[in-house]
Amino acid sequence: IWDKAGIDFRQWHQWKQGSGIYLISCAKENMKLEVIGQNRFDPQAAINQGVLADELMSTSQGVMVRQVTYQDPVSGEIFRLLTSELTLPPGLIAHLYRLSFDIEKVFDEFKNKLAEKKAWGSGATTKTIQAQ
């Protein structure tokens, strides 16, 4: 899962083809993407709650990516998520992104609210104690 700075779609394609690495990122407002296809999905399936669209897009770099448009049922905020993964249900793509956002909030709490700048130690036990 990548932040909005992950826009090197040729690199995404290379990672997918060469290493089986798939990325998910939130689209930037000023991205110029062209819709080249629609993916069918079951909007009634629980996993797809909040999914508005599942589209195949062409980037300015000539790479095909998938865009899942998702509306958070709690906040109403709409997210355009880009991914190189083409087979998972669109709601699962949104769920994975949402989980990564929750993890980032925890790291932000450590860094900003608790003033933790580095790990206390390098062992597994030390890291577990610090995390708790």
Side-chain angles (χ1 to χ4, degrees):
I1 314 294
W2 204 292
D3 65 13
K4 290 183 181 182
I7 60 171
D8 186 348
F9 298 113
R10 284 195 182 123
Q11 184 66 53
W12 285 29
H13 182 72
Q14 288 176 353
W15 285 336
K16 177 181 168 182
Q17 297 301 324
S19 304
I21 297 171
Y22 300 90
L23 296 171
I24 302 172
S25 180
C26 196
K28 294 174 73 171
E29 291 290 325
N30 63 349
M31 283 186 165
K32 304 250 188 278
L33 301 172
E34 180 182 343
V35 178
I36 57 173
Q38 301 282 333
N39 289 326
R40 291 184 182 174
F41 68 96
D42 181 3
Q44 302 304 316
I47 189 68
N48 294 327
Q49 180 185 6
V51 174
L52 304 175
D54 185 1
E55 303 166 305
L56 297 176
M57 312 297 279
S58 178
T59 70
S60 61
Q61 298 170 344
V63 176
M64 184 181 74
V65 295
R66 178 182 182 190
Q67 178 175 276
V68 174
T69 305
Y70 169 78
Q71 184 171 21
D72 185 289
V74 175
S75 70
E77 187 174 358
I78 294 177
F79 296 90
R80 291 180 344 172
L81 305 172
L82 301 177
T83 182
S84 55
E85 207 296 319
L86 304 176
T87 61
L88 293 175
L92 185 54
I93 298 293
H95 180 68
L96 290 170
Y97 186 80
R98 193 171 48 245
L99 287 176
S100 74
F101 188 74
D102 291 344
I103 292 167
E104 287 297 322
K105 286 194 295 188
V106 170
F107 284 121
D108 185 60
E109 290 288 321
F110 268 133
K111 187 172 131 188
N112 295 317
K113 301 249 169 57
L114 300 176
E116 293 296 336
K117 302 292 184 206
K118 61 182 180 176
W120 295 342
S122 59
T125 303
T126 308
K127 290 178 182 178
T128 301
I129 291 169
Q130 185 175 4
Q132 291 175 351

